[in-house]
Amino acid sequence: MRLSMIDNLVIVESPAKAKTIEKILGKEFHVTSSMGHIRDLSKKDFGIDLKNNYRPEYIVPDDKKKIVSELKKLVKDAKMVWLASDEDREGEAIAWHLSQELKLDPAKTRRIVFSEITKNAIQSSIQNYRNIDENLVNAQQARRILDRLVGFELSPVLWKKVKPSLSAGRVQSVAVRLIVEREREIINFKTSSSFKAIGTFEYKDGNNKNHQLKAESNKKFNDKKDAVTFLEKCIGSTFKVLDVTKKPSKKSPSPPFTTSTLQQEASRKLGFSVAQTMSIAQKLYEAGFISYMRTDSVNLSQFALDSIEKVIKKEFGNEYAHIQNYITKTKGAQEAHEAIRPSYVEKREIEGNNSEKRLYDLIWKRTVASQMSDAQFEKTIANIEVSKASEKFVAQGEVFKFDGFLKLYIESSDEENEEETKGLLPPLIVNQILSPIEILAIQRFSINPPRYTEASLVKKLEELGIGRPSTYAPTISTIQNRGYVIKEDREGKQRQFITLKLKGSEITELSQLEHYGKEKAKLFPDNIGMIVNDFLVEYFKEILDFNFTARVEKEFDDIASGKMQWTKMIDSFYKPFHKNVENTLEVSDYSKGEKELGIDPVSGKPVIVRMGRYGPIVQIGENVAHSEEKPKYASLLKGQQLETITLEEALELFNLPRKLGDFEGKEMIVSIGRFGPYVRHDAKFYSLKKDVDDPYKISPERAIEIIVDKRETDKNRIIKTFKEDPDIKILNGRWGPYISFKKLNFKIPKGSEPSSLTREDCLKIIESPQVKKKQRNNK
DNA sequence: CAGTGAGCGAGCTTCCGCTTGACTT
């Protein structure tokens, strides 16, 4: 079916948005989408003519050619083209690129903008059309060109001075820096401990009724001696209530979700990675369940506010509604969209898989809670005097007066705060004498700064105004893909802590174990991340500065408001920057993170760690040209870092390969290869079991066991072969049975019995279109 | 991801922001 003459063609960025808008505008308007940017800088020679005042060379990337040719067809038939891309710098540039690439006639082209998809907003935008804002477009061109210059000049410096294929950029390099510097803070963190006293007291009130309460000392004690001294003073002291203060307090709801806060809460509450959150949100958006998921705005449309108010009043009662619009405080926010909210808040639940349901539920609760009343408390603080000591005890209580938004939604926090003993306090009166039941002084250790999670890194970047909602998730992926950063769990450790207990007039000491330092899905810098970071911070301080983006953003704003010419801005940045690049190429050494750990007691030679071609290594002795004596090398184990490895750990690496004695007349040798620790026997390799066997300590008996076990599983490996076709084999693998065919492997569909498959069945699986598609995608 | 434990050296790698594709006639 071909659409006849379309009078009005509207072009937006996203197809899902196009669908909704078309419904609103009716059949006189055809709404289509550009799928974001349709042109980009060519990759040849930067795509920038440096000799010609930074003239950009734009091309249509291959994956956009189809869209552009379709748009060209549509435009030809239209009497009026409405460019409705987002109301921000990038959106303005998209509109401009469209007008250029589609060669739109200015007389038949109108630029319109709306930041919410409602009938009113869209119809009024049609009334208030304008021309493309060239200053804003120039600000975007400056942004794009600056990023290209930085990225495409810095990355090759790294290829020459550190390692090929590495990358650097205005956003990613600062993200890595944050993680590297945080890790160093943690490495250098000196744990200290102190004691805090917690007393349990009781008293009888006028009606002879017994009450109990807990109170904490108002001061910490630096060491055990001070804590004991305090407890000794408590013996025979009287404990008197000095004062009781009551004051009201309140807690307000958080604003509705932006991309960044959604990623943070989905990470804390649901354990999603930022990429997971975004792809689930995309599904919800495409299904029409939520508004657009890439936004920095906390604004809600009047339509949304009205329907949320109705829902709150119906579900919770009138006193729970407190309709308000929040103000976006984020640095550099462009606010082209609404906050992330349910499209129809009346819809409490959606159809979809479990993750989609959970994310929708989170968005629903957060949105509705944002329009609910403050929670009201009454806080009580009582100071308790200790007659023989200058320190006091403080009892704190908190009572709900009104739960407000907390009835629906409690925001999580990144800090794992210690539980405080806050609850209801019994009625206290001044000068009341309390009798101590027991007083504990518990040793508490200071906690190092927390490592970043993906989501808390996004939060930090957003605070610095670095990156945009559409790039948070890809940036986090990039720094992991380059090997700069690894997302990992870490086992916690154990330590002892002391509890001193005063009961009656006796002080006893108790030693207990506590777990600490357990990490889940935290970002750790890897060796190469640290080396690259140190190199960039040393030679390109300006770019790596946390305020670099903020500074250039200011200049982009000046371009947007017509106060500055974009080519001048780029020129004054690029001239000194490029000079610095050339200078760095000349003066800097090849950077491999080299560090001397000490002297090898056996040979008397220095022990050096550094990055080798295939990863981090340790060497004994220097590499002297033309010398016959070569240094000895050993690779670092997985998880060992150049930054933290000790001399002892480094020397231990040379205890491999280790001879383990003979088995069946052949020697067994233990060592560590690319794929981890192994035993070699009779020219065959047998992997040691991860986290079970230690190559430095494994016994010959255990090694033989591993060899025999492996032979057994290998025997069971072959399920079926075909005489007529030796290329096809049905095998048992780590993930169950599979078909092996000329170095390629194929899953066996559910429900088929592997041993009864015929050659024809196998060929069918190998030739099936789904499998072929998958192979293409893996390329 | 499907089973390794080597070592020549050509040619390529890379940025940040917008956005979802994918398949015939």
Side-chain angles (χ1 to χ4, degrees):
Chain A
M1 190 183 82
R2 190 179 171 280
L3 284 157
S4 57
M5 254 335 237
I6 320 148
D7 285 349
N8 292 290
L9 180 70
V10 182
I11 306 177
V12 295
E13 286 170 51
S14 136
K17 196 168 163 180
K19 228 168 70 188
T20 339
I21 294 172
E22 194 158 50
K23 268 191 221 143
I24 292 173
L25 283 175
K27 53 180 186 255
E28 280 159 46
F29 288 81
H30 178 48
V31 188
T32 188
S33 62
S34 73
M35 309 275 188
H37 275 294
I38 53 145
R39 297 203 304 191
D40 191 15
L41 293 173
S42 154
K43 293 202 172 192
K44 258 191 298 176
D45 305 320
F46 287 7
I48 301 163
D49 190 347
L50 295 171
K51 291 197 188 78
N52 211 337
N53 213 9
Y54 306 96
R55 210 177 61 146
E57 190 207 334
Y58 292 113
I59 54 149
V60 178
D62 286 343
D63 58 333
K64 292 292 166 67
K65 288 202 162 118
K66 201 174 145 206
I67 290 159
V68 169
S69 71
E70 278 164 12
L71 286 173
K72 277 183 177 160
K73 270 185 229 153
L74 288 170
V75 159
K76 230 190 277 169
D77 290 344
K79 281 188 184 156
M80 182 62 73
V81 178
W82 304 80
L83 299 173
S85 43
D86 293 346
E87 185 178 17
D88 60 13
R89 200 164 64 201
E90 297 296 328
E92 203 67 19
I94 288 171
W96 177 75
H97 280 301
L98 283 168
S99 73
Q100 296 274 303
E101 188 62 31
L102 306 177
K103 300 187 174 64
L104 299 181
D105 174 359
K108 296 199 295 188
T109 305
R110 286 172 178 178
R111 168 80 173 126
I112 54 170
V113 294
F114 38 84
S115 57
E116 50 181 62
I117 305 176
T118 54
K119 197 165 187 169
N120 277 344
I122 292 168
Q123 282 174 343
S124 103
S125 78
I126 300 268
Q127 305 299 315
N128 299 296
Y129 63 87
R130 58 171 171 81
N131 293 324
I132 289 171
D133 179 345
E134 289 198 15
N135 288 332
L136 197 50
V137 172
N138 287 337
Q140 192 274 348
Q141 297 201 89
R143 198 281 304 155
R144 179 68 192 92
I145 286 167
L146 178 116
D147 281 336
R148 170 56 68 82
L149 289 171
V150 170
F152 275 36
E153 291 228 358
L154 283 190
S155 300
V157 177
L158 295 180
W159 305 343
K160 286 182 195 108
K161 298 293 181 175
V162 183
K163 206 180 108 173
S165 301
L166 294 176
S167 64
R170 174 176 60 81
V171 174
Q172 59 169 283
S173 296
V174 175
V176 173
R177 182 177 183 182
L178 286 165
I179 291 163
V180 169
E181 294 194 346
R182 176 59 55 86
E183 190 67 21
R184 290 195 171 132
E185 274 178 61
I186 294 168
I187 291 168
N188 297 324
F189 184 78
K190 301 263 186 298
T191 306
S192 61
S193 79
S194 60
F195 289 75
K196 188 138 208 194
I198 299 171
T200 312
F201 302 94
E202 64 177 354
Y203 70 93
K204 283 195 167 59
D205 65 15
N207 300 322
N208 215 20
K209 199 180 162 221
N210 214 18
H211 295 283
Q212 269 197 17
L213 67 135
K214 282 193 175 193
E216 280 190 15
S217 58
N218 65 339
K219 279 194 193 122
K220 285 180 181 171
F221 306 99
N222 288 331
D223 51 30
K224 197 168 103 185
K225 207 183 96 224
D226 288 359
V228 170
T229 309
F230 174 69
L231 290 182
E232 281 169 347
K233 285 183 191 164
C234 287
I235 302 174
S237 272
T238 48
F239 300 89
K240 191 169 78 180
V241 177
L242 263 185
D243 53 51
V244 180
T245 326
K246 289 192 176 184
K247 58 179 173 198
S249 77
K250 62 171 190 179
K251 198 170 163 55
S252 303
S254 300
F257 279 134
T258 61
T259 303
S260 146
T261 53
L262 176 68
Q263 290 172 349
Q264 289 160 45
E265 276 286 86
S267 159
R268 290 184 292 232
K269 283 204 155 88
L270 310 177
F272 294 167
S273 70
V274 299
Q276 247 178 312
T277 299
M278 292 314 283
S279 95
I280 298 165
Q282 174 91 29
K283 290 233 169 67
L284 294 176
Y285 168 66
E286 283 169 11
F289 293 140
I290 61 168
S291 62
Y292 195 57
M293 65 283 156
R294 291 186 275 261
T295 176
D296 51 22
S297 169
V298 289
N299 193 58
L300 293 174
S301 67
Q302 195 55 49
F303 162 79
L305 292 175
D306 291 346
S307 42
I308 295 167
E309 183 171 14
K310 270 183 216 143
V311 167
I312 295 171
K313 287 183 171 166
K314 190 172 151 232
E315 297 276 319
F316 304 100
N318 287 5
E319 69 278 23
Y320 279 90
H322 175 59
I323 302 304
Q324 56 176 323
N325 234 329
Y326 294 82
I327 295 157
T328 305
K329 291 189 206 113
T330 315
K331 222 191 258 183
Q334 314 219 353
E335 299 198 77
H337 303 96
E338 276 187 78
I340 303 171
R341 63 163 171 92
S343 307
Y344 304 99
V345 75
E346 300 76 14
K347 202 173 174 64
R348 183 64 189 87
E349 270 175 13
I350 54 139
E351 309 75 52
N353 66 30
N354 200 26
S355 305
E356 288 160 15
K357 284 182 172 162
R358 290 169 78 203
L359 193 68
Y360 180 82
D361 184 64
L362 189 69
I363 294 168
W364 191 91
K365 283 184 175 152
R366 171 81 165 221
T367 310
V368 173
S370 79
Q371 301 305 321
M372 289 173 73
S373 318
D374 291 349
Q376 312 277 353
F377 308 90
E378 186 178 76
K379 260 192 180 161
T380 308
I381 297 174
N383 284 303
I384 300 160
E385 178 189 63
V386 185
S387 63
K388 289 188 188 170
S390 58
E391 292 87 357
K392 294 187 193 84
F393 278 99
V394 182
Q396 291 195 55
E398 204 170 62
V399 213
F400 266 124
K401 291 287 169 193
F402 180 61
D403 53 1
F405 78 96
L406 289 179
K407 194 173 189 111
L408 180 62
Y409 182 87
I410 299 171
E411 189 179 12
S412 310
S413 115
D414 285 323
E415 282 90 53
E416 298 123 50
N417 5 344
E418 285 176 49
E419 284 163 67
E420 281 177 46
T421 43
K422 264 192 204 165
L424 211 56
L425 268 189
L428 287 169
I429 42 169
V430 177
N431 290 334
Q432 173 88 54
I433 303 292
L434 307 172
S435 21
I437 299 174
E438 64 170 24
I439 298 171
L440 302 174
I442 302 166
Q443 186 179 24
R444 285 276 168 257
F445 295 89
S446 56
I447 308 166
N448 57 262
R451 291 194 172 84
Y452 287 106
T453 62
E454 290 188 345
S456 69
L457 182 62
V458 168
K459 181 182 181 185
K460 183 72 189 172
L461 289 172
E462 188 187 41
E463 279 166 16
L464 293 167
I466 300 173
R468 303 276 315 128
S470 67
T471 60
Y472 294 137
T475 301
I476 301 281
S477 300
T478 300
I479 62 176
Q480 293 180 66
N481 291 340
R482 297 273 176 275
Y484 295 152
V485 165
I486 329 171
K487 184 166 77 176
E488 265 184 347
D489 299 343
R490 281 281 158 96
E491 286 295 318
K493 292 182 200 153
Q494 285 192 330
R495 70 182 159 206
Q496 294 207 309
F497 71 96
I498 298 168
T499 304
L500 301 162
K501 182 168 160 187
L502 166 66
K503 195 154 189 182
S505 54
E506 201 186 340
I507 299 172
T508 49
E509 183 178 329
L510 201 71
S511 184
Q512 286 166 285
L513 274 182
E514 69 172 354
H515 294 267
Y516 74 101
K518 193 176 163 155
E519 299 277 31
K520 194 143 190 350
K522 294 288 173 64
L523 299 175
F524 294 80
D526 205 354
N527 294 304
I528 198 72
M530 292 205 170
I531 293 173
V532 165
N533 179 254
D534 293 351
F535 182 87
L536 292 173
V537 170
E538 181 176 352
Y539 293 102
F540 299 97
K541 230 181 174 54
E542 187 197 5
I543 312 283
L544 271 281
D545 191 298
F546 296 121
N547 292 317
F548 177 69
T549 292
R551 276 201 297 272
V552 292
E553 277 293 339
K554 225 183 217 159
E555 299 189 60
F556 297 148
D557 285 348
D558 286 344
I559 296 168
S561 61
K563 279 186 264 181
M564 194 189 279
Q565 245 189 324
W566 77 264
T567 49
K568 277 202 178 130
M569 183 246 157
I570 290 294
D571 192 55
S572 63
F573 163 76
Y574 183 68
K575 283 243 169 72
F577 170 70
H578 181 69
K579 213 175 196 175
N580 189 18
V581 167
E582 298 207 308
N583 182 53
T584 302
L585 285 171
E586 228 173 83
V587 302
S588 68
D589 286 328
Y590 191 73
S591 193
K592 40 193 178 180
E594 194 166 309
K595 202 169 83 170
E596 192 180 314
L597 292 181
I599 301 295
D600 170 30
V602 178
S603 63
K605 288 178 181 162
V607 179
I608 297 159
V609 285
R610 65 177 172 86
M611 212 57 192
R613 262 185 77 179
Y614 303 103
I617 53 169
V618 49
Q619 73 179 60
I620 301 180
E622 317 242 20
N623 211 339
V624 184
H626 311 299
S627 162
E628 281 172 29
E629 222 180 326
K630 288 257 153 68
K632 285 203 293 179
Y633 296 104
S635 292
L636 265 61
L637 300 180
K638 217 181 135 200
Q640 285 181 328
Q641 298 287 324
L642 295 176
E643 185 94 359
T644 49
I645 190 170
T646 62
L647 180 63
E648 290 69 38
E649 288 165 342
L651 289 171
E652 190 170 60
L653 297 171
F654 289 93
N655 295 336
L656 293 178
R658 233 177 94 214
K659 289 182 185 171
L660 264 195
D662 289 356
F663 172 55
E664 296 174 345
K666 302 251 165 67
E667 205 173 35
M668 294 185 291
I669 291 167
V670 193
S671 193
I672 294 173
R674 252 181 75 185
F675 304 98
Y678 65 91
V679 186
R680 196 173 67 208
H681 175 258
D682 196 13
K684 291 196 188 74
F685 293 86
Y686 304 89
S687 288
L688 301 195
K689 212 164 168 195
K690 214 179 131 197
D691 299 328
V692 174
D693 299 308
D694 180 341
Y696 296 98
K697 291 185 191 139
I698 190 168
S699 68
E701 291 74 30
R702 171 66 185 146
I704 291 168
E705 199 182 312
I706 289 172
I707 294 170
V708 174
D709 274 3
K710 174 84 168 23
R711 286 179 183 166
E712 188 59 29
T713 48
D714 278 356
K715 228 192 278 167
N716 297 331
R717 205 166 93 89
I718 299 169
I719 297 175
K720 200 175 188 182
T721 54
F722 302 93
K723 276 198 193 110
E724 65 272 30
D725 197 342
D727 280 341
I728 302 178
K729 286 181 201 131
I730 304 177
L731 302 174
N732 234 330
R734 194 165 137 189
W735 292 278
Y738 67 98
I739 299 168
S740 155
F741 177 71
K742 293 184 181 169
K743 297 227 165 192
L744 290 170
N745 300 293
F746 303 89
K747 235 196 216 151
I748 294 173
K750 271 195 192 129
S752 12
E753 170 56 39
S755 56
S756 59
L757 289 174
T758 62
R759 177 175 167 269
E760 284 66 36
D761 292 336
C762 292
L763 280 175
K764 224 183 262 170
I765 293 168
I766 293 165
E767 302 286 320
S768 79
Q770 295 111 308
V771 169
K772 287 202 162 154
K773 192 168 136 191
K774 218 178 155 193
Q775 279 165 11
R776 261 197 314 274
N777 290 342
N778 289 340
K779 257 194 258 178

